[in-house]
Amino acid sequence: MPAETTRRRGAALEADLLDAAWAELKAVGYTRLTMEGVAARARTGKQVLYRRWPNRAELVVAALRHRQGGSITDQVPDTGSLREDVLAVLRLMAERQRDIGQDVVHGVLAEIGPMRAQVFEIMRDVMATLLERAAARGEIPTADVPPRIMTLPTDLVRNEIVMRSEPLTEQTMSEIVDDIFLPLVTRRA
Amino acid sequence: MPAETTRRRGAALEADLLDAAWAELKAVGYTRLTMEGVAARARTGKQVLYRRWPNRAELVVAALRHRQGGSITDQVPDTGSLREDVLAVLRLMAERQRDIGQDVVHGVLAEIGPMRAQVFEIMRDVMATLLERAAARGEIPTADVPPRIMTLPTDLVRNEIVMRSEPLTEQTMSEIVDDIFLPLVTRRA
DNA sequence: CGATTTAGGAGACGTTCCGTCTCTTACTTC
DNA sequence: GAAGTAAGAGACGGAACGTCTCCTAAATCG
């Protein structure tokens, strides 16, 4: 029995490892994902994983990044309407939620520690861009909106993602935008 | 060496177990809390724990409840001002955050599953009470506020608790109430 | 008040997974 | 072609899991 004597290396191997981690994530969830499971699925040894990522959390984060491609920053929506722009951002978050799954969200949230604060800044920057464009179009009186209001829609959606089990509905997102966010940014002295 | 031959039982023992769990939580945090650690601290065996709670998560939730006493529902604030009432609720949440600690929040959040949705309902009911009283006083035009706006302050505070490492500041809470919540409930047709 | 039942205290057990380590060998590099 | 690097495989000690069994203190009941 002459086994496959092709031995994977470097980037090709790494991609396989991350794919295996993702598959394992989908198969058994975050809490029951083990390094041994991922290694077995990728048909390799644990050492190969530990050589690249120091622990489960880092491996999972890397797998998510690999799977999800780039950040939201890379493709900030620009539909010509503030309402649609914000909804597009929220839909992107909802999409990720659906793809990733509840327990992964919580598992990662628990273990990434200070990396969480970064999420705020990214979202603040994205929303700032949307608001500046809206102000330039004359849709809103000014883009000088307090940061807390800027991130209101994404904060609320994140709250839904973290707290609710069911996926976000289109209605929830429009309520957030139409009943809360837009009133606050349009009526401002 | 005649050891203490007093053997604890029933409610007294249970209280000791929950105290031990709480102490362990403060000492080593959620992720490193073990059933063996709690049992050792309470000077008893694991079986005594497993006889009462099926797993770590349930034990910790029980310990939190035992520690925290009642729910917010038991003492809904009534200061005569909507602003102060809401702030009082938010301060209570902040207090608990400080007492419990970040990793416990995430750990519990990850493991309590469907119990999370319950939190929403509790907060919605509390806020509904506050709004009704405010409407009766004539502070706001109507208590008929959409549920999403009702729970806005508590949702935002929860988002801060989950995402930020630092404890909530008084300023954050007033921003949420003064810049976001009150404008939305006072100016309504 | 003695017999019976219940449940606490203690720890052994098999299991799983951790993270480290060692060893052989395929591939890369020079 | 020789030397170096890292993949593949698995052994290892350790921690904690959840189950189980034993002994006995305390509660219950006749």
Side-chain angles (χ1 to χ4, degrees), chain A residues 102 106 109-110 116 120 148 155 158-160 162-164 172 175-176, chain B residues 102 106 109-110 116 120 148 155 158-160 162-164 172 175-176:
Chain A
Q102 188 82 344
H106 285 119
L109 208 52
R116 261 168 295 152
F120 272 93
R148 193 166 305 281
D155 287 348
R158 193 180 312 112
N159 183 62
E160 293 283 324
V162 170
M163 296 297 292
R164 304 259 192 213
T172 299
E175 281 178 23
I176 289 173
Chain B
Q102 188 82 346
H106 285 119
L109 209 52
R116 262 168 293 149
F120 272 94
R148 192 165 307 280
D155 287 348
R158 193 181 312 112
N159 182 63
E160 294 283 324
V162 170
M163 296 296 292
R164 306 257 191 213
T172 299
E175 279 178 24
I176 289 173

PDB file of all heavy atoms in Angstrom, chain A residues 102 106 109-110 116 120 148 155 158-160 162-164 172 175-176, chain B residues 102 106 109-110 116 120 148 155 158-160 162-164 172 175-176:
ATOM      1  N   GLN A 102     -24.155  30.864  16.166  1.00  0.00           N
ATOM      2  CA  GLN A 102     -24.245  31.444  17.494  1.00  0.00           C
ATOM      3  C   GLN A 102     -23.076  31.090  18.407  1.00  0.00           C
ATOM      4  O   GLN A 102     -22.421  31.959  18.969  1.00  0.00           O
ATOM      5  CB  GLN A 102     -25.550  30.951  18.132  1.00  0.00           C
ATOM      6  CG  GLN A 102     -25.894  31.613  19.426  1.00  0.00           C
ATOM      7  CD  GLN A 102     -26.562  32.959  19.178  1.00  0.00           C
ATOM      8  OE1 GLN A 102     -26.504  33.510  18.084  1.00  0.00           O
ATOM      9  NE2 GLN A 102     -27.167  33.477  20.222  1.00  0.00           N
ATOM     10  N   HIS A 106     -20.091  33.481  20.389  1.00  0.00           N
ATOM     11  CA  HIS A 106     -19.832  33.586  21.824  1.00  0.00           C
ATOM     12  C   HIS A 106     -18.456  33.077  22.196  1.00  0.00           C
ATOM     13  O   HIS A 106     -17.762  33.672  23.013  1.00  0.00           O
ATOM     14  CB  HIS A 106     -20.909  32.828  22.598  1.00  0.00           C
ATOM     15  CG  HIS A 106     -22.213  33.542  22.629  1.00  0.00           C
ATOM     16  ND1 HIS A 106     -23.353  33.010  22.110  1.00  0.00           N
ATOM     17  CD2 HIS A 106     -22.549  34.764  23.078  1.00  0.00           C
ATOM     18  CE1 HIS A 106     -24.347  33.871  22.254  1.00  0.00           C
ATOM     19  NE2 HIS A 106     -23.878  34.946  22.833  1.00  0.00           N
ATOM     20  N   LEU A 109     -15.938  35.656  21.043  1.00  0.00           N
ATOM     21  CA  LEU A 109     -16.112  36.847  21.877  1.00  0.00           C
ATOM     22  C   LEU A 109     -15.425  36.657  23.230  1.00  0.00           C
ATOM     23  O   LEU A 109     -14.762  37.564  23.746  1.00  0.00           O
ATOM     24  CB  LEU A 109     -17.612  37.078  22.089  1.00  0.00           C
ATOM     25  CG  LEU A 109     -18.061  38.501  22.313  1.00  0.00           C
ATOM     26  CD1 LEU A 109     -17.530  39.402  21.235  1.00  0.00           C
ATOM     27  CD2 LEU A 109     -19.568  38.557  22.371  1.00  0.00           C
ATOM     28  N   ALA A 110     -15.577  35.475  23.778  1.00  0.00           N
ATOM     29  CA  ALA A 110     -15.036  35.219  25.110  1.00  0.00           C
ATOM     30  C   ALA A 110     -13.518  35.177  25.094  1.00  0.00           C
ATOM     31  O   ALA A 110     -12.876  35.531  26.068  1.00  0.00           O
ATOM     32  CB  ALA A 110     -15.589  33.898  25.650  1.00  0.00           C
ATOM     33  N   ARG A 116     -11.556  42.999  20.911  1.00  0.00           N
ATOM     34  CA  ARG A 116     -12.930  43.445  20.767  1.00  0.00           C
ATOM     35  C   ARG A 116     -13.036  44.944  20.523  1.00  0.00           C
ATOM     36  O   ARG A 116     -13.801  45.393  19.684  1.00  0.00           O
ATOM     37  CB  ARG A 116     -13.715  43.107  22.037  1.00  0.00           C
ATOM     38  CG  ARG A 116     -14.524  41.852  21.918  1.00  0.00           C
ATOM     39  CD  ARG A 116     -15.012  41.463  23.274  1.00  0.00           C
ATOM     40  NE  ARG A 116     -13.890  41.104  24.135  1.00  0.00           N
ATOM     41  CZ  ARG A 116     -13.889  41.220  25.437  1.00  0.00           C
ATOM     42  NH1 ARG A 116     -14.931  41.702  26.050  1.00  0.00           N
ATOM     43  NH2 ARG A 116     -12.835  40.856  26.129  1.00  0.00           N
ATOM     44  N   PHE A 120     -15.102  48.248  17.407  1.00  0.00           N
ATOM     45  CA  PHE A 120     -15.748  49.548  17.526  1.00  0.00           C
ATOM     46  C   PHE A 120     -15.158  50.550  16.543  1.00  0.00           C
ATOM     47  O   PHE A 120     -15.874  51.214  15.804  1.00  0.00           O
ATOM     48  CB  PHE A 120     -15.554  50.114  18.942  1.00  0.00           C
ATOM     49  CG  PHE A 120     -16.600  49.678  19.908  1.00  0.00           C
ATOM     50  CD1 PHE A 120     -16.410  48.568  20.695  1.00  0.00           C
ATOM     51  CD2 PHE A 120     -17.781  50.386  20.016  1.00  0.00           C
ATOM     52  CE1 PHE A 120     -17.377  48.167  21.583  1.00  0.00           C
ATOM     53  CE2 PHE A 120     -18.757  50.000  20.917  1.00  0.00           C
ATOM     54  CZ  PHE A 120     -18.551  48.875  21.709  1.00  0.00           C
ATOM     55  N   ARG A 148     -21.288  57.987  19.602  1.00  0.00           N
ATOM     56  CA  ARG A 148     -22.239  56.997  20.105  1.00  0.00           C
ATOM     57  C   ARG A 148     -23.432  56.839  19.166  1.00  0.00           C
ATOM     58  O   ARG A 148     -23.990  55.754  19.029  1.00  0.00           O
ATOM     59  CB  ARG A 148     -22.712  57.384  21.509  1.00  0.00           C
ATOM     60  CG  ARG A 148     -23.454  56.272  22.217  1.00  0.00           C
ATOM     61  CD  ARG A 148     -23.595  56.563  23.691  1.00  0.00           C
ATOM     62  NE  ARG A 148     -22.313  56.824  24.311  1.00  0.00           N
ATOM     63  CZ  ARG A 148     -21.448  55.865  24.660  1.00  0.00           C
ATOM     64  NH1 ARG A 148     -21.747  54.604  24.476  1.00  0.00           N
ATOM     65  NH2 ARG A 148     -20.306  56.185  25.211  1.00  0.00           N
ATOM     66  N   ASP A 155     -24.109  48.894  16.732  1.00  0.00           N
ATOM     67  CA  ASP A 155     -24.169  48.433  18.118  1.00  0.00           C
ATOM     68  C   ASP A 155     -25.441  47.640  18.377  1.00  0.00           C
ATOM     69  O   ASP A 155     -25.412  46.591  19.019  1.00  0.00           O
ATOM     70  CB  ASP A 155     -24.106  49.624  19.080  1.00  0.00           C
ATOM     71  CG  ASP A 155     -22.705  50.238  19.136  1.00  0.00           C
ATOM     72  OD1 ASP A 155     -21.771  49.616  18.617  1.00  0.00           O
ATOM     73  OD2 ASP A 155     -22.568  51.343  19.695  1.00  0.00           O
ATOM     74  N   ARG A 158     -25.300  44.335  16.663  1.00  0.00           N
ATOM     75  CA  ARG A 158     -24.406  43.437  17.386  1.00  0.00           C
ATOM     76  C   ARG A 158     -25.106  42.877  18.621  1.00  0.00           C
ATOM     77  O   ARG A 158     -24.989  41.693  18.944  1.00  0.00           O
ATOM     78  CB  ARG A 158     -23.131  44.160  17.792  1.00  0.00           C
ATOM     79  CG  ARG A 158     -22.052  43.187  18.251  1.00  0.00           C
ATOM     80  CD  ARG A 158     -20.783  43.892  18.655  1.00  0.00           C
ATOM     81  NE  ARG A 158     -20.354  44.861  17.673  1.00  0.00           N
ATOM     82  CZ  ARG A 158     -20.349  46.171  17.858  1.00  0.00           C
ATOM     83  NH1 ARG A 158     -20.764  46.664  19.005  1.00  0.00           N
ATOM     84  NH2 ARG A 158     -19.936  46.975  16.912  1.00  0.00           N
ATOM     85  N   ASN A 159     -25.850  43.746  19.296  1.00  0.00           N
ATOM     86  CA  ASN A 159     -26.597  43.294  20.455  1.00  0.00           C
ATOM     87  C   ASN A 159     -27.567  42.175  20.082  1.00  0.00           C
ATOM     88  O   ASN A 159     -27.672  41.160  20.776  1.00  0.00           O
ATOM     89  CB  ASN A 159     -27.374  44.484  21.051  1.00  0.00           C
ATOM     90  CG  ASN A 159     -28.123  44.102  22.301  1.00  0.00           C
ATOM     91  OD1 ASN A 159     -27.532  43.711  23.292  1.00  0.00           O
ATOM     92  ND2 ASN A 159     -29.452  44.184  22.222  1.00  0.00           N
ATOM     93  N   GLU A 160     -28.237  42.338  18.952  1.00  0.00           N
ATOM     94  CA  GLU A 160     -29.163  41.293  18.500  1.00  0.00           C
ATOM     95  C   GLU A 160     -28.413  40.000  18.218  1.00  0.00           C
ATOM     96  O   GLU A 160     -28.849  38.911  18.585  1.00  0.00           O
ATOM     97  CB  GLU A 160     -29.889  41.740  17.227  1.00  0.00           C
ATOM     98  CG  GLU A 160     -30.838  42.904  17.424  1.00  0.00           C
ATOM     99  CD  GLU A 160     -32.151  42.489  18.083  1.00  0.00           C
ATOM    100  OE1 GLU A 160     -32.640  41.387  17.791  1.00  0.00           O
ATOM    101  OE2 GLU A 160     -32.673  43.270  18.901  1.00  0.00           O
ATOM    102  N   VAL A 162     -25.617  38.954  19.412  1.00  0.00           N
ATOM    103  CA  VAL A 162     -25.095  38.313  20.614  1.00  0.00           C
ATOM    104  C   VAL A 162     -26.208  37.702  21.456  1.00  0.00           C
ATOM    105  O   VAL A 162     -26.054  36.624  22.014  1.00  0.00           O
ATOM    106  CB  VAL A 162     -24.283  39.329  21.452  1.00  0.00           C
ATOM    107  CG1 VAL A 162     -23.941  38.749  22.816  1.00  0.00           C
ATOM    108  CG2 VAL A 162     -23.028  39.728  20.718  1.00  0.00           C
ATOM    109  N   MET A 163     -27.345  38.407  21.516  1.00  0.00           N
ATOM    110  CA  MET A 163     -28.380  37.982  22.453  1.00  0.00           C
ATOM    111  C   MET A 163     -29.425  37.044  21.861  1.00  0.00           C
ATOM    112  O   MET A 163     -29.942  36.177  22.554  1.00  0.00           O
ATOM    113  CB  MET A 163     -29.090  39.210  23.019  1.00  0.00           C
ATOM    114  CG  MET A 163     -28.181  40.107  23.846  1.00  0.00           C
ATOM    115  SD  MET A 163     -27.546  39.274  25.326  1.00  0.00           S
ATOM    116  CE  MET A 163     -29.050  39.097  26.287  1.00  0.00           C
ATOM    117  N   ARG A 164     -29.752  37.224  20.616  1.00  0.00           N
ATOM    118  CA  ARG A 164     -30.836  36.420  20.030  1.00  0.00           C
ATOM    119  C   ARG A 164     -30.272  35.174  19.351  1.00  0.00           C
ATOM    120  O   ARG A 164     -29.165  35.185  18.836  1.00  0.00           O
ATOM    121  CB  ARG A 164     -31.583  37.229  18.973  1.00  0.00           C
ATOM    122  CG  ARG A 164     -32.129  38.546  19.490  1.00  0.00           C
ATOM    123  CD  ARG A 164     -33.603  38.431  19.773  1.00  0.00           C
ATOM    124  NE  ARG A 164     -34.180  39.734  20.001  1.00  0.00           N
ATOM    125  CZ  ARG A 164     -35.194  39.945  20.834  1.00  0.00           C
ATOM    126  NH1 ARG A 164     -35.746  38.935  21.479  1.00  0.00           N
ATOM    127  NH2 ARG A 164     -35.681  41.157  21.007  1.00  0.00           N
ATOM    128  N   THR A 172     -36.215  43.965  11.492  1.00  0.00           N
ATOM    129  CA  THR A 172     -35.410  44.459  12.605  1.00  0.00           C
ATOM    130  C   THR A 172     -34.444  45.538  12.126  1.00  0.00           C
ATOM    131  O   THR A 172     -34.310  46.598  12.735  1.00  0.00           O
ATOM    132  CB  THR A 172     -34.613  43.307  13.228  1.00  0.00           C
ATOM    133  OG1 THR A 172     -35.526  42.333  13.725  1.00  0.00           O
ATOM    134  CG2 THR A 172     -33.740  43.799  14.356  1.00  0.00           C
ATOM    135  N   GLU A 175     -36.245  48.774  11.264  1.00  0.00           N
ATOM    136  CA  GLU A 175     -36.662  49.485  12.474  1.00  0.00           C
ATOM    137  C   GLU A 175     -35.505  50.269  13.065  1.00  0.00           C
ATOM    138  O   GLU A 175     -35.644  51.432  13.446  1.00  0.00           O
ATOM    139  CB  GLU A 175     -37.182  48.496  13.520  1.00  0.00           C
ATOM    140  CG  GLU A 175     -38.608  48.025  13.279  1.00  0.00           C
ATOM    141  CD  GLU A 175     -39.049  47.015  14.328  1.00  0.00           C
ATOM    142  OE1 GLU A 175     -38.478  47.005  15.431  1.00  0.00           O
ATOM    143  OE2 GLU A 175     -39.955  46.216  14.025  1.00  0.00           O
ATOM    144  N   ILE A 176     -34.374  49.623  13.130  1.00  0.00           N
ATOM    145  CA  ILE A 176     -33.197  50.282  13.711  1.00  0.00           C
ATOM    146  C   ILE A 176     -32.839  51.533  12.911  1.00  0.00           C
ATOM    147  O   ILE A 176     -32.553  52.591  13.471  1.00  0.00           O
ATOM    148  CB  ILE A 176     -32.006  49.295  13.757  1.00  0.00           C
ATOM    149  CG1 ILE A 176     -32.260  48.230  14.821  1.00  0.00           C
ATOM    150  CG2 ILE A 176     -30.700  50.037  14.019  1.00  0.00           C
ATOM    151  CD1 ILE A 176     -31.239  47.104  14.841  1.00  0.00           C
TER     152      ILE A 176
ATOM    153  N   GLN B 102     -15.594  40.596  33.570  1.00  0.00           N
ATOM    154  CA  GLN B 102     -15.709  40.402  32.130  1.00  0.00           C
ATOM    155  C   GLN B 102     -15.821  38.936  31.702  1.00  0.00           C
ATOM    156  O   GLN B 102     -16.740  38.546  31.006  1.00  0.00           O
ATOM    157  CB  GLN B 102     -14.470  41.023  31.463  1.00  0.00           C
ATOM    158  CG  GLN B 102     -14.526  41.068  29.964  1.00  0.00           C
ATOM    159  CD  GLN B 102     -15.323  42.263  29.488  1.00  0.00           C
ATOM    160  OE1 GLN B 102     -16.042  42.909  30.273  1.00  0.00           O
ATOM    161  NE2 GLN B 102     -15.230  42.541  28.216  1.00  0.00           N
ATOM    162  N   HIS B 106     -18.868  36.733  29.666  1.00  0.00           N
ATOM    163  CA  HIS B 106     -18.768  36.009  28.396  1.00  0.00           C
ATOM    164  C   HIS B 106     -18.981  34.516  28.564  1.00  0.00           C
ATOM    165  O   HIS B 106     -19.642  33.888  27.746  1.00  0.00           O
ATOM    166  CB  HIS B 106     -17.406  36.275  27.758  1.00  0.00           C
ATOM    167  CG  HIS B 106     -17.307  37.632  27.151  1.00  0.00           C
ATOM    168  ND1 HIS B 106     -16.390  38.563  27.565  1.00  0.00           N
ATOM    169  CD2 HIS B 106     -18.027  38.232  26.189  1.00  0.00           C
ATOM    170  CE1 HIS B 106     -16.555  39.671  26.863  1.00  0.00           C
ATOM    171  NE2 HIS B 106     -17.535  39.511  26.028  1.00  0.00           N
ATOM    172  N   LEU B 109     -22.675  33.979  29.147  1.00  0.00           N
ATOM    173  CA  LEU B 109     -23.369  34.288  27.905  1.00  0.00           C
ATOM    174  C   LEU B 109     -23.260  33.137  26.914  1.00  0.00           C
ATOM    175  O   LEU B 109     -24.223  32.764  26.244  1.00  0.00           O
ATOM    176  CB  LEU B 109     -22.731  35.544  27.288  1.00  0.00           C
ATOM    177  CG  LEU B 109     -23.624  36.414  26.432  1.00  0.00           C
ATOM    178  CD1 LEU B 109     -24.897  36.767  27.154  1.00  0.00           C
ATOM    179  CD2 LEU B 109     -22.884  37.668  26.013  1.00  0.00           C
ATOM    180  N   ALA B 110     -22.087  32.557  26.851  1.00  0.00           N
ATOM    181  CA  ALA B 110     -21.849  31.496  25.879  1.00  0.00           C
ATOM    182  C   ALA B 110     -22.613  30.227  26.238  1.00  0.00           C
ATOM    183  O   ALA B 110     -23.015  29.473  25.367  1.00  0.00           O
ATOM    184  CB  ALA B 110     -20.356  31.200  25.794  1.00  0.00           C
ATOM    185  N   ARG B 116     -31.035  33.566  27.397  1.00  0.00           N
ATOM    186  CA  ARG B 116     -30.709  34.930  27.045  1.00  0.00           C
ATOM    187  C   ARG B 116     -31.935  35.746  26.661  1.00  0.00           C
ATOM    188  O   ARG B 116     -32.091  36.893  27.063  1.00  0.00           O
ATOM    189  CB  ARG B 116     -29.739  34.950  25.855  1.00  0.00           C
ATOM    190  CG  ARG B 116     -28.308  35.107  26.259  1.00  0.00           C
ATOM    191  CD  ARG B 116     -27.438  34.811  25.077  1.00  0.00           C
ATOM    192  NE  ARG B 116     -27.522  33.405  24.713  1.00  0.00           N
ATOM    193  CZ  ARG B 116     -27.392  32.938  23.499  1.00  0.00           C
ATOM    194  NH1 ARG B 116     -27.203  33.754  22.500  1.00  0.00           N
ATOM    195  NH2 ARG B 116     -27.454  31.643  23.276  1.00  0.00           N
ATOM    196  N   PHE B 120     -34.273  40.044  27.698  1.00  0.00           N
ATOM    197  CA  PHE B 120     -34.978  41.072  26.936  1.00  0.00           C
ATOM    198  C   PHE B 120     -36.330  41.388  27.548  1.00  0.00           C
ATOM    199  O   PHE B 120     -36.664  42.543  27.795  1.00  0.00           O
ATOM    200  CB  PHE B 120     -35.217  40.601  25.492  1.00  0.00           C
ATOM    201  CG  PHE B 120     -34.096  40.912  24.564  1.00  0.00           C
ATOM    202  CD1 PHE B 120     -33.104  39.975  24.323  1.00  0.00           C
ATOM    203  CD2 PHE B 120     -34.015  42.144  23.933  1.00  0.00           C
ATOM    204  CE1 PHE B 120     -32.062  40.262  23.468  1.00  0.00           C
ATOM    205  CE2 PHE B 120     -32.978  42.434  23.066  1.00  0.00           C
ATOM    206  CZ  PHE B 120     -31.989  41.489  22.845  1.00  0.00           C
ATOM    207  N   ARG B 148     -38.501  48.343  20.579  1.00  0.00           N
ATOM    208  CA  ARG B 148     -37.080  48.506  20.295  1.00  0.00           C
ATOM    209  C   ARG B 148     -36.530  49.785  20.922  1.00  0.00           C
ATOM    210  O   ARG B 148     -35.375  49.830  21.342  1.00  0.00           O
ATOM    211  CB  ARG B 148     -36.827  48.511  18.778  1.00  0.00           C
ATOM    212  CG  ARG B 148     -35.370  48.386  18.409  1.00  0.00           C
ATOM    213  CD  ARG B 148     -35.211  48.036  16.956  1.00  0.00           C
ATOM    214  NE  ARG B 148     -35.981  46.854  16.592  1.00  0.00           N
ATOM    215  CZ  ARG B 148     -35.565  45.608  16.834  1.00  0.00           C
ATOM    216  NH1 ARG B 148     -34.421  45.396  17.416  1.00  0.00           N
ATOM    217  NH2 ARG B 148     -36.326  44.598  16.490  1.00  0.00           N
ATOM    218  N   ASP B 155     -30.198  47.935  26.046  1.00  0.00           N
ATOM    219  CA  ASP B 155     -29.483  47.250  24.975  1.00  0.00           C
ATOM    220  C   ASP B 155     -28.100  47.856  24.768  1.00  0.00           C
ATOM    221  O   ASP B 155     -27.108  47.140  24.600  1.00  0.00           O
ATOM    222  CB  ASP B 155     -30.273  47.331  23.665  1.00  0.00           C
ATOM    223  CG  ASP B 155     -31.502  46.423  23.687  1.00  0.00           C
ATOM    224  OD1 ASP B 155     -31.610  45.591  24.607  1.00  0.00           O
ATOM    225  OD2 ASP B 155     -32.345  46.550  22.776  1.00  0.00           O
ATOM    226  N   ARG B 158     -25.834  47.015  27.622  1.00  0.00           N
ATOM    227  CA  ARG B 158     -25.419  45.619  27.516  1.00  0.00           C
ATOM    228  C   ARG B 158     -24.323  45.480  26.470  1.00  0.00           C
ATOM    229  O   ARG B 158     -23.338  44.769  26.660  1.00  0.00           O
ATOM    230  CB  ARG B 158     -26.607  44.727  27.170  1.00  0.00           C
ATOM    231  CG  ARG B 158     -26.287  43.261  27.364  1.00  0.00           C
ATOM    232  CD  ARG B 158     -27.448  42.361  27.006  1.00  0.00           C
ATOM    233  NE  ARG B 158     -28.692  42.797  27.606  1.00  0.00           N
ATOM    234  CZ  ARG B 158     -29.715  43.280  26.932  1.00  0.00           C
ATOM    235  NH1 ARG B 158     -29.649  43.372  25.614  1.00  0.00           N
ATOM    236  NH2 ARG B 158     -30.800  43.669  27.552  1.00  0.00           N
ATOM    237  N   ASN B 159     -24.486  46.190  25.386  1.00  0.00           N
ATOM    238  CA  ASN B 159     -23.464  46.160  24.342  1.00  0.00           C
ATOM    239  C   ASN B 159     -22.116  46.626  24.894  1.00  0.00           C
ATOM    240  O   ASN B 159     -21.079  46.014  24.630  1.00  0.00           O
ATOM    241  CB  ASN B 159     -23.896  47.057  23.181  1.00  0.00           C
ATOM    242  CG  ASN B 159     -22.905  47.031  22.036  1.00  0.00           C
ATOM    243  OD1 ASN B 159     -22.695  45.992  21.421  1.00  0.00           O
ATOM    244  ND2 ASN B 159     -22.270  48.165  21.779  1.00  0.00           N
ATOM    245  N   GLU B 160     -22.149  47.681  25.691  1.00  0.00           N
ATOM    246  CA  GLU B 160     -20.905  48.174  26.292  1.00  0.00           C
ATOM    247  C   GLU B 160     -20.310  47.117  27.224  1.00  0.00           C
ATOM    248  O   GLU B 160     -19.109  46.872  27.221  1.00  0.00           O
ATOM    249  CB  GLU B 160     -21.174  49.461  27.092  1.00  0.00           C
ATOM    250  CG  GLU B 160     -21.592  50.649  26.244  1.00  0.00           C
ATOM    251  CD  GLU B 160     -20.412  51.295  25.526  1.00  0.00           C
ATOM    252  OE1 GLU B 160     -19.319  51.337  26.102  1.00  0.00           O
ATOM    253  OE2 GLU B 160     -20.596  51.729  24.371  1.00  0.00           O
ATOM    254  N   VAL B 162     -20.663  43.941  27.171  1.00  0.00           N
ATOM    255  CA  VAL B 162     -20.148  42.773  26.473  1.00  0.00           C
ATOM    256  C   VAL B 162     -18.864  43.103  25.706  1.00  0.00           C
ATOM    257  O   VAL B 162     -17.945  42.299  25.652  1.00  0.00           O
ATOM    258  CB  VAL B 162     -21.213  42.214  25.499  1.00  0.00           C
ATOM    259  CG1 VAL B 162     -20.614  41.158  24.594  1.00  0.00           C
ATOM    260  CG2 VAL B 162     -22.380  41.640  26.281  1.00  0.00           C
ATOM    261  N   MET B 163     -18.838  44.301  25.136  1.00  0.00           N
ATOM    262  CA  MET B 163     -17.726  44.608  24.234  1.00  0.00           C
ATOM    263  C   MET B 163     -16.539  45.287  24.892  1.00  0.00           C
ATOM    264  O   MET B 163     -15.405  45.072  24.498  1.00  0.00           O
ATOM    265  CB  MET B 163     -18.225  45.485  23.085  1.00  0.00           C
ATOM    266  CG  MET B 163     -19.255  44.807  22.198  1.00  0.00           C
ATOM    267  SD  MET B 163     -18.572  43.362  21.332  1.00  0.00           S
ATOM    268  CE  MET B 163     -17.423  44.143  20.207  1.00  0.00           C
ATOM    269  N   ARG B 164     -16.794  46.130  25.864  1.00  0.00           N
ATOM    270  CA  ARG B 164     -15.696  46.888  26.464  1.00  0.00           C
ATOM    271  C   ARG B 164     -15.132  46.168  27.680  1.00  0.00           C
ATOM    272  O   ARG B 164     -15.857  45.469  28.385  1.00  0.00           O
ATOM    273  CB  ARG B 164     -16.188  48.267  26.912  1.00  0.00           C
ATOM    274  CG  ARG B 164     -16.864  49.054  25.826  1.00  0.00           C
ATOM    275  CD  ARG B 164     -15.945  50.115  25.301  1.00  0.00           C
ATOM    276  NE  ARG B 164     -16.670  51.045  24.445  1.00  0.00           N
ATOM    277  CZ  ARG B 164     -16.103  51.642  23.394  1.00  0.00           C
ATOM    278  NH1 ARG B 164     -14.854  51.410  23.083  1.00  0.00           N
ATOM    279  NH2 ARG B 164     -16.812  52.475  22.657  1.00  0.00           N
ATOM    280  N   THR B 172     -20.955  57.799  29.961  1.00  0.00           N
ATOM    281  CA  THR B 172     -21.534  56.918  28.948  1.00  0.00           C
ATOM    282  C   THR B 172     -23.032  56.765  29.168  1.00  0.00           C
ATOM    283  O   THR B 172     -23.831  56.862  28.236  1.00  0.00           O
ATOM    284  CB  THR B 172     -20.865  55.532  29.017  1.00  0.00           C
ATOM    285  OG1 THR B 172     -19.472  55.683  28.745  1.00  0.00           O
ATOM    286  CG2 THR B 172     -21.475  54.586  28.006  1.00  0.00           C
ATOM    287  N   GLU B 175     -24.930  59.945  28.274  1.00  0.00           N
ATOM    288  CA  GLU B 175     -25.009  60.119  26.817  1.00  0.00           C
ATOM    289  C   GLU B 175     -26.137  59.269  26.244  1.00  0.00           C
ATOM    290  O   GLU B 175     -26.926  59.725  25.411  1.00  0.00           O
ATOM    291  CB  GLU B 175     -23.684  59.707  26.163  1.00  0.00           C
ATOM    292  CG  GLU B 175     -22.610  60.779  26.226  1.00  0.00           C
ATOM    293  CD  GLU B 175     -21.307  60.300  25.595  1.00  0.00           C
ATOM    294  OE1 GLU B 175     -21.355  59.387  24.738  1.00  0.00           O
ATOM    295  OE2 GLU B 175     -20.253  60.822  25.973  1.00  0.00           O
ATOM    296  N   ILE B 176     -26.188  58.040  26.698  1.00  0.00           N
ATOM    297  CA  ILE B 176     -27.214  57.133  26.185  1.00  0.00           C
ATOM    298  C   ILE B 176     -28.609  57.674  26.491  1.00  0.00           C
ATOM    299  O   ILE B 176     -29.498  57.670  25.643  1.00  0.00           O
ATOM    300  CB  ILE B 176     -27.027  55.719  26.791  1.00  0.00           C
ATOM    301  CG1 ILE B 176     -25.779  55.073  26.196  1.00  0.00           C
ATOM    302  CG2 ILE B 176     -28.254  54.863  26.554  1.00  0.00           C
ATOM    303  CD1 ILE B 176     -25.403  53.759  26.830  1.00  0.00           C
TER     304      ILE B 176
END
